[in-house]
Amino acid sequence: DSGKASILGCMQPLEPQEQHWLESFRRDIHQHPEIGFEEKRTSQKVTEALSNCMPSLSLELAQTGRLFVFGTEGPMLLVRT
């Protein structure tokens, strides 16, 4: 075991406090709109949130994008922001 949290653990039904956090996160993003390729704040917040799920790979894309890969064998998930 690599000690990293499984992405599948991040995909279970949400507990009430997790649901509240997700709703607050979404509202915060929508309350601070940013112009394309200038979304520095949004990129930072999404990176921090997804990094908590311990991606096996995280790469910067373009100016403010990010690529996250979760898993190394079997089911894998790719998230591009």
Side-chain angles (χ1 to χ4, degrees):
D1 183 28
S2 66
K4 291 187 174 186
S6 166
I7 186 59
L8 299 178
C10 290
M11 295 172 57
Q12 300 301 315
L14 296 177
E15 296 291 330
Q17 67 272 18
E18 294 169 323
Q19 181 71 29
H20 175 72
W21 177 87
L22 187 59
E23 290 171 359
S24 296
F25 183 84
R26 179 185 55 81
R27 286 186 188 112
D28 179 70
I29 295 294
H30 285 273
Q31 289 171 352
H32 300 91
E34 296 175 283
I35 296 172
F37 296 105
E38 295 180 17
E39 55 279 89
K40 306 272 190 235
R41 182 181 182 279
T42 299
S43 179
Q44 181 63 36
K45 291 190 74 67
V46 170
T47 296
E48 289 172 3
L50 290 178
S51 292
N52 288 334
C53 290
M54 304 297 288
S56 53
L57 179 65
S58 177
L59 302 171
E60 292 183 16
L61 299 176
Q63 296 175 27
T64 58
R66 196 100 183 165
L67 173 81
F68 296 92
V69 177
F70 297 93
T72 56
E73 296 180 12
M76 296 175 67
L77 176 67
L78 181 136
V79 177
R80 183 178 63 91
T81 65

